[in-house]
Amino acid sequence: MHAPAAIRRALGLGILLGLSLPLAAKEALSVAWSHWPPFSQLDGRGELGGLDITLTRQILRGADLEPAFRNLPWARTLHLLEGGQLDAGMGALDTPERRQFARFSAPYRHASFVLLSHQGAPGAPDRWQGIQQLTDLCQQTRLRLGKLRGTRPTPLTEACPALKQAHEYNSDDKLIELLLARRLDGAILEWQHAQHRLTQLGAEGFIQCQLLLHRQPVSLIFAKTALGDEALARINAVIAKLPAPAPAFAPPVCRFDNTRFPGAPAA
């Protein structure tokens, strides 16, 4: 017995509608970002990009999740993660304190912290003269060094008096300004961000790297309520398959390399 024509038409329409419906939407996660080139920034067309943005999209989408980015300062990001009002942040250091309220992915890249100095000028005193090894640098009392307020960028800091006594400033831009003006002898900075700013200023030729302090693994940070074990396992599986970073994101060649002797000054 054949179905009436009206029923056949309804069935056909239902099949067509079913074929035209979108696939199940991926679960969205709110992800904080802030202006931190070359890791996260708006381009000239107002589009969000940068290494962390690109990697976060790749990692989350590969784990069947979708990032919804929110422009937030870092301190606010941590506060909202702790309160469960934000799902995720990028470029985070995994610490016991943060594990009280957050979960972490496997590291997805490394941040390189360096001590930069200005190039010597003819006729100007060279405060770096005579510093032949890392122990010499750590015992210096006449170097004017600076770092970002509230940061402790390397375990070496506690074992190296010259680094521990570095003056604190509120922004990396201020550190770079003082370094180029020779009001600081050295500044502790994250290398990729410093290189980006120096290139923008046309000043990369006036700076040299004295010390590679630390290569710090960074991860995605998640509010504890944001995702379960299975989703985190999918994220880590995607991270495990990421290609090696491009040579442009390698640390610089510096006079001294503490990463060969982590935790203590060495020659």
Side-chain angles (χ1 to χ4, degrees), residues 5 7 42-43 46 50 57 67 90 100 105 107 151 164 185 189 204 213 223-224 252 255 263:
I7 295 177
L42 295 173
D43 65 19
R57 284 182 176 134
M90 305 179 296
Q100 298 298 312
S105 73
T151 61
K164 188 175 182 179
D185 297 311
L189 295 156
E204 64 270 30
L213 289 97
K224 282 193 171 180
R255 284 185 67 204

Side-chain angles (χ1 to χ4, degrees), residues 227-266:
L227 77 175
D229 292 343
E230 193 274 336
L232 186 59
R234 295 200 310 267
I235 288 168
N236 287 339
V238 176
I239 291 172
K241 295 178 181 178
L242 290 176
F249 286 90
V253 176
C254 305
R255 284 185 67 204
F256 309 115
D257 183 356
N258 181 64
T259 62
R260 295 180 298 157
F261 312 99

Side-chain angles (χ1 to χ4, degrees), residues 102-122:
R103 309 181 74 185
F104 292 84
S105 73
Y108 67 91
R109 66 169 177 86
H110 283 75
S112 298
F113 287 89
V114 295
L115 175 61
L116 301 179
S117 72
H118 45 71
Q119 296 277 15

Side-chain angles (χ1 to χ4, degrees), residues 150-233:
T151 61
R152 182 176 171 270
T154 167
L156 176 63
T157 302
E158 293 300 319
C160 186
L163 299 180
K164 188 175 182 179
Q165 295 163 14
H167 297 286
E168 295 191 334
Y169 296 88
N170 289 328
S171 74
D172 286 330
D173 281 349
K174 186 63 176 179
L175 286 166
I176 291 171
E177 174 191 334
L178 294 173
L179 189 61
L180 292 174
R182 300 182 181 274
R183 293 170 60 189
L184 285 176
D185 297 311
I188 299 170
L189 295 156
E190 197 287 322
W191 166 242
Q192 296 297 339
H193 179 65
Q195 183 185 41
H196 178 87
R197 286 295 293 130
L198 290 166
T199 301
Q200 282 186 323
L201 296 168
E204 64 270 30
F206 298 97
I207 296 297
Q208 60 180 331
C209 184
Q210 294 290 343
L211 171 64
L212 177 59
L213 289 97
H214 186 44
R215 295 206 70 220
Q216 174 178 293
V218 297
S219 304
L220 298 175
I221 181 173
F222 299 96
K224 282 193 171 180
T225 57
L227 77 175
D229 292 343
E230 193 274 336
L232 186 59

Side-chain angles (χ1 to χ4, degrees), residues 31 52-61 67 69 90 220:
V31 182
D52 275 353
I53 300 296
T54 299
L55 288 175
T56 298
R57 284 182 176 134
Q58 181 179 348
I59 292 164
L60 293 185
R61 288 173 178 172
F69 291 102
M90 305 179 296
L220 298 175

